[in-house]
C-alpha cells in the first residue's frame, strides 16, 4: 500500500506542470479592473476640507470609497448577492458611515479612512423603512431605525440599542419616515393611504411617546415620495391631483394648510408627479427652510418658507438636475441645465437668496455614447477667499460616473456598466495600414488590368513603405530602450491598433446589462470605444455574434448583437464594427415577429459575411444578410441545415430542418416532464473548437477513437422536488440533428446549480451532492471504440453504432461560480478547466485529472498511458490559481479565446471585476522563455565564431612554420 | 627567400658532387626557384637514370596459380563475414535492452546501417570474389548474411517500438472528419 501511495505521489509530481507566474511576470500580460456597480447612495466626505474621498453604496451591494483625484478605489467591501446584502440606507457622520443592510437585518458602522468595520449589530426582524441620525444640542450621538412595526435608537459609538418601542397601530398605519430636528424629539411619520397621516413623537431619552397626532390627508398615499420636512419641523407635501402644497407644523398644528400652486403662479407638467427636495446639513439642526420643487422633467423651483409663506426664490427652466451641497456654514444649490445638444452647464446658486454665484459655471459635455445625466452629486468646498468652489460627480443613464472640475475638466470617469457584463467576444485586430496596403495590392482584381509595369511600381512602393515602417519601429525600440521601463508608455489608441506578431492582442467586445457596448484592448485593458444603446429594456436578452472577422480586407469586420425584449418577444439587431464601435451602415432587417433563436451558418455571402438565420415564433426563418446570392446558397444547402429549440418552461426540446422555401419542418421532439424536472441549461460545442487528435493512444499502442459528434448537445435537468432525499440532477446527451439520445445519466441525491462544460468528446459537470454534502465533479467521455466508422465525413444521420460511454466522479473541496475550458488554435495543447471560485480565485485544473479512464489499480498499460491512478479527491493546489492575489470578485463568466500561438489561450473572467490573462496549459513550448539569456547565447556564439577564426589562422601559421622546418 | 635559396644551393651542391665534379662547391643565389621545382628539374633534367629504371611503377602481374585453395578460403571468409557477425549482434541486442536511449539507438543504427552499406557495395564485393570458382554461391551467402543482419536490425527496431506498425502511429495523420450537417440553436431567448 505504501508503495502505491508513493507511486501516486511520484505521478503527481511528474505530471504536474508549474503554471504559477513568477514574481517579475506580475502584471506583464494580465490586468484587473475593479468596479462597484450602479451607484445608489453617494456621500462626499465633508468632514475635512482637504478630504479626497467619496463614499458609494451601489445596487450590487458594494460599499466603497473612491479617491476623488484619480477615481481609483481606496477600499471596497462586497456584500452578499441578492436582497440579503442589499444596502438600504447610507448615513454619514464625521469619520463614520452607517449602513443598513439586508432589509434592516444589520446595522453597520464603518470607519471611512481605511474602511474598517467599527461595529455591527443585528437588528430585530421587520422590513426596513427609514433611518435617520438624531442629534441634540449640536451633538449627534444616536441613529434611529424605523421598521414596519418598531422604532429603535442606537448609539453611534458602539451600536448598542438605547431603546426600542413598538409603533402604535402598526397594522393599519404604514410608517415610512423618521425625522428629528435636533430638539430631543424623534418623529415617526406614518400614513394610512388615502385617509390620514399618523405622527408619533418619542422622547429621545427613554423612548416614551410624548405625543400622537392624526391628521386628515385623504390625498396622500406615500410620504417618502411626496413629502419633505422643511424649516422648523414643517412637513410639506405636494399633491398632483389637487395641484397644491400641503403644510403641517409637526409641533403645533393638527390640520394641514393647503396652498394651491396656482396661487404661487405655478403649474405642473401634466402627468408628472412633483417632487420635493429638502436639505438638512446638520442632523442636530432643523432642515433649511429652502427647498426645491420639481414640477416637470426639466422644471425646478427654488422655494423658501418664510413665516409660513412660500416665496419663490428662483425658477429654473430648463433644469434637468438639482442638488444641494453644504460646506462650512454655507449651503449652495447646484443646477444643471442644458446648453445645447451636446453640452450642459452647471451653475451654483446661493441657497438662501437664490442668487447665482460668480464664476461657478461648469460645462459638462454630453457624450452621445453616455446617455442622459441621471444624478448629480456635488462636492462643495471653501476657497481661500471664503468663496465656494465645487466639483461635481455626474451619474448618467449608463451608470457611468464622471467627476468634473471647473470649468469643465473631466478628472476621471468610471464605466460602472462594466460591473455587469452579459456577454462578450474577442475579435482579432486588423492588420496595420501598411500590411493592409500590401493585401490590397494583391487583393484587388483591378490590379490585373493595370499592366506589368504599374504592378512592379506598386510592389516596389509598398515594399518601400514596409521598410520605412520597419525602420521606424526599430528606431522606436531603440529610443524606448534607453528610457527606464516605467516611463515607457504604450498608449493604445484606435488609430495605432494593429495585430501583433502572435495575435495575442485582441479587441474585447463586451455587452453590458445596461445596454452599453465596450471595446477594450486585451493587452492593456484600456477602453477604446464605447457605445450606448438607448431604450434597452431592463430584462433584455443579448446574443453577440461575429459575422465577419478582420481577415477580409477591405471589408470591415462586422458584429451583430441580437437584443430581445423578454416581455414582448420582439428583437432588434445592432450591427456594428467591433474595432471602432461604429454602427454599420448596413440596415438590419425589420423583425415584426417575436424571435425565438438565431443561428450562425458557416456560409458566407459575396462580401464574406457569415449568414445569420433568425427563427421567429411561427418557425419561419429569415436570413441576414438576405441577398440573392445568399438565398440561392441557402436553397442549395437547405436540406443539411438543422436547428434545435429548447423551451424550458414547457420542457420541450425540438429539432427542425430547413426547407428550401425558408420554412421549417419539425423532425424530432423530446419532452421532459416539467412536473418532475426542468431543463436548466443546454450546451453544444463551440464552433471554433479544433480537435487535433482523433483518438487516444492506449498502453498497447492501439487507438481508442474519440466520438467527436459536432452536433452533440448536453442537456442538464434538475428535479423540481428539492427534498434532499429525492432531488436529482440529470444529464442527457442528445444528437441535435436526429434527436437521438446518445446517453443519459442521473445523479441521485444531487442538487444544482449545475455548471457544465462540453467540449471535444467529454462533458464535465459539477453539482452539490445532498447525500454526502459536498461538491462533486463528474466527467463523461465518449469513445467510438477501436475502429473508426467513417474517418472522412461525419453525418449524424449515418451512425449505426452507439458510442462507448465512460464516467467517473470526484470530490471537489469548494463550490464554484463558473467553469470554462481552455481553447487553442489547433487543439494540440492539452486542455485545462478554468474554474471561477466564489473566493475570487480562478483555478486552472488540468483536464487530465478529470479522466474517466483513471485506473483504480495501476497496471503497466495505464502507466504507459500516463494515467494518474484514481483518487476521489481533487485537490486545489495554490499554484493552479492563475490570478495569484488578483481576486476577481463575484466571477460570473469566463471567456476563452485562442491566440496565434498554439500554446497560449487568452482568458477573460468577468463579474464585478474584469480580469484578463493568458494561460499556457502545456507550458510555453513554442516560445522562448522570458528569461532566455540572449546575451549569453549570442556572446558564446560570437566568441566561438571568433575563436574558430583565430584558431584557423593560428593553425595555418603553424602548418607553414612546420613546413619550413 | 634567403634560406630556401641557400638550401636549394646545398642540394645542388650535393648533386653536383654526384655528377661531373668541376669545382669543390658552388652557390647559386640567383635561382628564383623553390626547392621542389629545383628538385624536379634536377631529377628530370640533370640525372641520368640507370638502364632499365622506369619512373612509373610496374604492377606485379604475376599470379600465383599454385595456391588456389588459399584464394578460395579467402573468398569464403569474405562471404561468411556477415553471417559470423550475427551471433555478436544478437549478444549486443540482448545487452542493450529495449529502452529508447542514446546508446541502444546508436547500436541499432550501426546494426542497420552496416548490412545496408554492404548491400550497396555488392558489386565491389562481387569483383573481389571474381577469382573464386564458387563465386555465385559465395555471393548468395554474402547476400543472405547481410539480409539476415538487416532483418535482425528491423526486429530490434520492432521490439524497441520504433516501427510504425500500430494504428496509433498513424493517428496524427487522420484529419478531422468533414461535417455533413449544419446545426445550431439553443434555449428560446
Amino acid at each position: 500500500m505504501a508503495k502505491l501511495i508513493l507511486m501516486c505521489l511520484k505521478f503527481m509530481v511528474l505530471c504536474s506542470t508549474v503554471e504559477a507566474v513568477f514574481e517579475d511576470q506580475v502584471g506583464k500580460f494580465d490586468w484587473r479592473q475593479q468596479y462597484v456597480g450602479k451607484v445608489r447612495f453617494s456621500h462626499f466626505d465633508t468632514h475635512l476640507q482637504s478630504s479626497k474621498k467619496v463614499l458609494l453604496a451601489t445596487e450590487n451591494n458594494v460599499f466603497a470609497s473612491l479617491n476623488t483625484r484619480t477615481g481609483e478605489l481606496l477600499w471596497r467591501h462586497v456584500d452578499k448577492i441578492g436582497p440579503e446584502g442589499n444596502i438600504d440606507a447610507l448615513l454619514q457622520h464625521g469619520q463614520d458611515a452607517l449602513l443598513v443592510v439586508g432589509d434592516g437585518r444589520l446595522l453597520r458602522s464603518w470607519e471611512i479612512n481605511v474602511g474598517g468595520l467599527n461595529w455591527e449589530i443585528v437588528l430585530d426582524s421587520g422590513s426596513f423603512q427609514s433611518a435617520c441620525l438624531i442629534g441634540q444640542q449640536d451633538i449627534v450621538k444616536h441613529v434611529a431605525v424605523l421598521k414596519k412595526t418598531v422604532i429603535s435608537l442606537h448609539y453611534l459609538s458602539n451600536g448598542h440599542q438605547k431603546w426600542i418601542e413598538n409603533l402604535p397601530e402598526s397594522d393599519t398605519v404604514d410608517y415610512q419616515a423618521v425625522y428629528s430636528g435636533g430638539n430631543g424629539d424623534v418623529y415617526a411619520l406614518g400614513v394610512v393611504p388615502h385617509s390620514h397621516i399618523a405622527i408619533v413623537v418619542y422622547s429621545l431619552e427613554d423612548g416614551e411617546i410624548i405625543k400622537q397626532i392624526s391628521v386628515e390627508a385623504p390625498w396622500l398615499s406615500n410620504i417618502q415620495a411626496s413629502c419633505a420636512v422643511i424649516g422648523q419641523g414643517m412637513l410639506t407635501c405636494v399633491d398632483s391631483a389637487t395641484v397644491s402644497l400641503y403644510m403641517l407644523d409637526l409641533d403645533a398644528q393638527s390640520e394641514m394648510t393647503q396652498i394651491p400652486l396656482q396661487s404661487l403662479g405655478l403649474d405642473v407638467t401634466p402627468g408628472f408627479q412633483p417632487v420635493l427636495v429638502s436639505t438638512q446639513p446638520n442632523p442636530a439642526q432643523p432642515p433649511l427652510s429652502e427647498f426645491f420643487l420639481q414640477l416637470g422633467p426639466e422644471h425646478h423651483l427654488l422655494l423658501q418658507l418664510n413665516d409660513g409663506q412660500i416665496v419663490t426664490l428662483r425658477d429654473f427652466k430648463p433644469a434637468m438636475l438639482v442638488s444641494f451641497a453644504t460646506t462650512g456654514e454655507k449651503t449652495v444649490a447646484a443646477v444643471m441645465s442644458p446648453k445645447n445638444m451636446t453640452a450642459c452647464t452647471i451653475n451654483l446658486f446661493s441657497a438662501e437668496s437664490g442668487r447665482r454665484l460668480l464664476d461657478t459655471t461648469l460645462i459638462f459635455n454630453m457624450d452621445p455614447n453616455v446617455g442622459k445625466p441621471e444624478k448629480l452629486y456635488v462636492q462643495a468646498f471653501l476657497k481661500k477667499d471664503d468663496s465656494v468652489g465645487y466639483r461635481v460627480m455626474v451619474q448618467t443613464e449608463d451608470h457611468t460616473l464622471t467627476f468634473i472640475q471647473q470649468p469643465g475638466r473631466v478628472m476621471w470617469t468610471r464605466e460602472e456598466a462594466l460591473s455587469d457584463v452579459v456577454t462578450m467576444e474577442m475579435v482579432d485586430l486588423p492588420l496595420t495600414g501598411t500590411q493592409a496596403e500590401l493585401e490590397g495590392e494583391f487583393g484587388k482584381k483591378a490590379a490585373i488590368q493595370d499592366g506589368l509595369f504599374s504592378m512592379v511600381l506598386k510592389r516596389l512602393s509598398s515594399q518601400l513603405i514596409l521598410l520605412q515602417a520597419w525602420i521606424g519601429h526599430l528606431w522606436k525600440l531603440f529610443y524606448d530602450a534607453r528610457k527606464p521601463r516605467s516611463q515607457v508608455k504604450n498608449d493604445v489608441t484606435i488609430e495605432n491598433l494593429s495585430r501583433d506578431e502572435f495575435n495575442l492582442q485582441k479587441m474585447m467586445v463586451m455587452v453590458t446589462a445596461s445596454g452599453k457596448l465596450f471595446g477594450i484592448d486585451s493587452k492593456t485593458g484600456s477602453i477604446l470605444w464605447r457605445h450606448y444603446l438607448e431604450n434597452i429594456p431592463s430584462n433584455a436578452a443579448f446574443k453577440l455574434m461575429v459575422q465577419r472577422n478582420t481577415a477580409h480586407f477591405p471589408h470591415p469586420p462586422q458584429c451583430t448583437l441580437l437584443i430581445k425584449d423578454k416581455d414582448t418577444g420582439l428583437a432588434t439587431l445592432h450591427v456594428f464594427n467591433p474595432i471602432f464601435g461604429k454602427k454599420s451602415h448596413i440596415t438590419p432587417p425589420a423583425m415584426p415577429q417575436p424571435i425565438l433563436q438565431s443561428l450562425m451558418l458557416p456560409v458566407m455571402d459575396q462580401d464574406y459575411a457569415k449568414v445569420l438565420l433568425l427563427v421567429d415564433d411561427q418557425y419561419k426563418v429569415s436570413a441576414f444578410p438576405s441577398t440573392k446570392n445568399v438565398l440561392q446558397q441557402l436553397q442549395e444547402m437547405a436540406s443539411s441545415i438543422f436547428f434545435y429549440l429548447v423551451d424550458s418552461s414547457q420542457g420541450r426540446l425540438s429539432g427542425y430542418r430547413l426547407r428550401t422555401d425558408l420554412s421549417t419542418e419539425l423532425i424530432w421532439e423530446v419532452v421532459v416532464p416539467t412536473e418532475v424536472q426542468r431543463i436548466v441549461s443546454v450546451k453544444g460545442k463551440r464552433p471554433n473548437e479544433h480537435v487535433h487528435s482523433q483518438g487516444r493512444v492506449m498502453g498497447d499502442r492501439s487507438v481508442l477513437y474519440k466520438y467527436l459528434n459536432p452536433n452533440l448537445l448536453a442537456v442538464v435537468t434538475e428535479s423540481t422536488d428539492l427534498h434532499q432525499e429525492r432531488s436529482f440532477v440529470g444529464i442527457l446527451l442528445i444528437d441535435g440533428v436526429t434527436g437521438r439520445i446518445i446517453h443519459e445519466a442521473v445523479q441521485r441525491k444531487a442538487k444544482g446549480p449545475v455548471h457544465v462544460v462540453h467540449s471535444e468528446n467529454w462533458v464535465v459537470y459539477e453539482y452539490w451532492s445532498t447525500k454526502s454534502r459536498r461538491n462533486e465533479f463528474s466527467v463523461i467521455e465518449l469513445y467510438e471504440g477501436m475502429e473508426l466508422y467513417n474517418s472522412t465525413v461525419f453525418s449524424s444521420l449515418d451512425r449505426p453504432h452507439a458510442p462507448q460511454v465512460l464516467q467517473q466522479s470526484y470530490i471537489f473541496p469548494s463550490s464554484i461560480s463558473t467553469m470554462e475550458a481552455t481553447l487553442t488554435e489547433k487543439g494540440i495543447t492539452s486542455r485545462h478547466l478554468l474554474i471561477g471560485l466564489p473566493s475570487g480565485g480562478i483555478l486552472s485544473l488540468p483536464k487530465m485529472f478529470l479522466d474517466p479512464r483513471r485506473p483504480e489499480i495501476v497496471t503497466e498499460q495505464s502507466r504507459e498511458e500516463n494515467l494518474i491512478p484514481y483518487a476521489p479527491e481533487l485537490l486545489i493546489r495554490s499554484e493552479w490559481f492563475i490570478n495569484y492575489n488578483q481576486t476577481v470578485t463575484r466571477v460570473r463568466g469566463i471567456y476563452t479565446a485562442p491566440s496565434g500561438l498554439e500554446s497560449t489561450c487568452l482568458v477573460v473572467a468577468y463579474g464585478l471585476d474584469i480580469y484578463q490573462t493568458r494561460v499556457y496549459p502545456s507550458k510555453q513550448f513554442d516560445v522562448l522563455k522570458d528569461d532566455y539569456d540572449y546575451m549569453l547565447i549570442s556572446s558564446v556564439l560570437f566568441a566561438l565564431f571568433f575563436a574558430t577564426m583565430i584558431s584557423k589562422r593560428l593553425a595555418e601559421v603553424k602548418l607553414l612554420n612546420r613546413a619550413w622546418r | 627567400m634567403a634560406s630556401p635559396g641557400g638550401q636549394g644551393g646545398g642540394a645542388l651542391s650535393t648533386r653536383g658532387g654526384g655528377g661531373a665534379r668541376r669545382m669543390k662547391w658552388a652557390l647559386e643565389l640567383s635561382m628564383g626557384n623553390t626547392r621542389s621545382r629545383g628538385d624536379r628539374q634536377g631529377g628530370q633534367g640533370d640525372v641520368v637514370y640507370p638502364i632499365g629504371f622506369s619512373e612509373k611503377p610496374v604492377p606485379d602481374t604475376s599470379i600465383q596459380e599454385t595456391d588456389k585453395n588459399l584464394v578460395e578460403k579467402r573468398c569464403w571468409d569474405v562471404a561468411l563475414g556477415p553471417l559470423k557477425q550475427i551471433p555478436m549482434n544478437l549478444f549486443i541486442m540482448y545487452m542493450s535492452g529495449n529502452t529508447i536511449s542514446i546508446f541502444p539507438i546508436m547500436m541499432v543504427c550501426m546494426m542497420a546501417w552496416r548490412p545496408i552499406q554492404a548491400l550497396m557495395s555488392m558489386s565491389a564485393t562481387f569483383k573481389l570474389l571474381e577469382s573464386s570458382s564458387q563465386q555465385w554461391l559465395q555471393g548468395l551467402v554474402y547476400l543472405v548474411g547481410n539480409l539476415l543482419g538487416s532483418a535482425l536490425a528491423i526486429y530490434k527496431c520492432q521490439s524497441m517500438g520504433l516501427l510504425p506498425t500500430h494504428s496509433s502511429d498513424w493517428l496524427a495523420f487522420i484529419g478531422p472528419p468533414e461535417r455533413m450537417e449544419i446545426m445550431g440553436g439553443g434555449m428560446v431567448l
Side-chain angles (χ1 to χ4, degrees), chain A residues 562 564 596-597 599 637 640-646 680 693-695 697 701 703 710-711 736 792-797, chain B residues 3-4 161-169 171-172 174-189:
Chain A
L562 177 73
K564 184 182 166 181
L596 294 183
Q597 243 314 337
L599 161 65
M637 300 182 57
S640 65
I641 295 175
F642 298 83
F643 61 93
Y644 68 95
L645 289 172
V646 181
V680 182
S693 181
Q694 299 296 305
V697 181
R701 299 180 63 200
V703 177
N711 308 321
T792 50
V793 291
F794 190 97
S795 168
S796 289
L797 302 169
Chain B
S3 81
L162 292 176
L163 293 187
T165 50
H166 293 271
S167 51
S168 59
D169 299 315
L171 182 64
I174 305 175
E178 197 193 335
R179 237 180 121 162
M180 293 305 283
E181 293 95 11
I182 300 168
M183 191 217 56
M187 285 260 198
V188 171
L189 285 177

Side-chain angles (χ1 to χ4, degrees), chain A residues 187 189 197-201 211-216 230 232-237 245-259 305 307-309:
Chain A
Y187 296 80
L189 310 176
I197 299 178
I199 298 159
V200 187
V201 188
K211 212 165 32 172
Q212 208 174 339
I213 324 168
S214 169
V215 182
E216 285 293 311
I230 288 146
Q232 302 285 342
M234 192 68 92
L235 180 70
T236 311
C237 298
L245 285 173
Y246 292 88
M247 306 195 86
L248 172 74
D249 192 329
L250 290 174
D251 293 322
Q253 284 166 318
S254 57
E255 212 163 283
M256 292 197 117
T257 47
Q258 184 181 7
I259 305 167
L305 181 71
D307 297 331
Q309 296 297 311

Side-chain angles (χ1 to χ4, degrees), chain A residues 36 40-41 56-64 77-80 82-91 98-104 106 108 110 128 890:
Chain A
V36 293
R40 185 181 283 165
F41 306 109
L56 305 173
T58 70
E59 310 214 325
N60 289 9
N61 307 349
V62 175
F63 179 48
H77 295 286
V78 183
D79 211 327
K80 287 177 186 154
E84 237 182 308
N86 192 32
I87 298 172
D88 300 314
L90 168 65
L91 302 168
L98 285 168
L99 227 56
V100 182
V101 177
D103 200 19
L106 293 168
R108 287 186 182 136
W110 299 91
F128 172 80
R890 280 194 205 148

